[in-house]
Amino acid sequence: MYDNILYPTDGSNGADAAMDHARTLASAYDATVHLLFVVDAEHVESGMMLREDATDEERVTGMMKRDEETAGEGHMSRHSDMSSILEKRGEYITEEIASRLAEEGITTATAVKHGDPPQVITEYAEDNDIDLIT
């Protein structure tokens, strides 16, 4: 019934909940799980920003509260390396999940793409003969 299952993820707890469903179906149908992370660094209305992590002094992403001065301005576009940081994060997330699924005997494919998430997810599904998006 299912040969290819697409699991788009951003690494959030909500996305993790959908992983259980994808895992169950992949096991039942011997399907490949496609792990997709979409870098949306062009979203100018985002409240995302770079900040220094106090524990290891690496730059990480984080949310910031909007005020009158920052409303309507995209903080991601101010940092040229934001796209690269998000891409590395996506690679880490998808590879980590792929590793866990491989331990369970589930075949995976990983991808990190750039663009508008709904559009990229739809295009990926069409290009890869996806039967189900979780």
Side-chain angles (χ1 to χ4, degrees):
M1 179 175 214
Y2 301 117
D3 293 320
N4 293 293
I5 299 169
L6 177 57
Y7 171 64
T9 184
D10 59 3
S12 67
N13 289 338
D16 286 346
M19 182 70 256
D20 291 336
H21 186 62
R23 177 187 295 110
T24 299
L25 291 173
S27 293
Y29 295 103
D30 195 29
T32 297
V33 176
H34 294 253
L35 306 162
L36 175 64
F37 183 95
V38 181
V39 176
D40 184 18
E42 299 302 316
H43 187 14
V44 297
E45 292 301 317
S46 175
M48 295 293 290
M49 59 171 275
L50 289 175
R51 62 180 170 78
E52 296 292 327
D53 188 325
T55 58
D56 57 17
E57 298 182 8
E58 289 186 20
R59 290 197 287 186
V60 296
T61 59
M63 295 299 293
M64 72 174 285
K65 184 177 178 182
R66 295 269 185 202
D67 57 25
E68 289 180 26
E69 188 175 315
T70 61
E73 297 178 9
H75 297 283
M76 290 171 75
S77 62
R78 293 183 192 174
H79 300 284
S80 60
D81 56 347
M82 178 60 81
S83 180
S84 175
I85 290 168
L86 292 175
E87 186 172 336
K88 287 177 185 173
R89 176 79 176 138
E91 290 169 357
Y92 174 80
I93 290 169
T94 56
E95 291 299 327
E96 179 70 24
I97 296 168
S99 176
R100 289 193 319 250
L101 292 176
E103 290 174 2
E104 299 175 32
I106 298 172
T107 305
T108 62
T110 63
V112 176
K113 304 281 186 181
H114 293 255
D116 177 51
Q119 181 178 354
V120 171
I121 291 167
T122 301
E123 289 172 0
Y124 186 93
E126 292 170 354
D127 293 345
N128 293 277
D129 298 320
I130 299 298
D131 302 305
L132 175 71
I133 301 172
T134 59

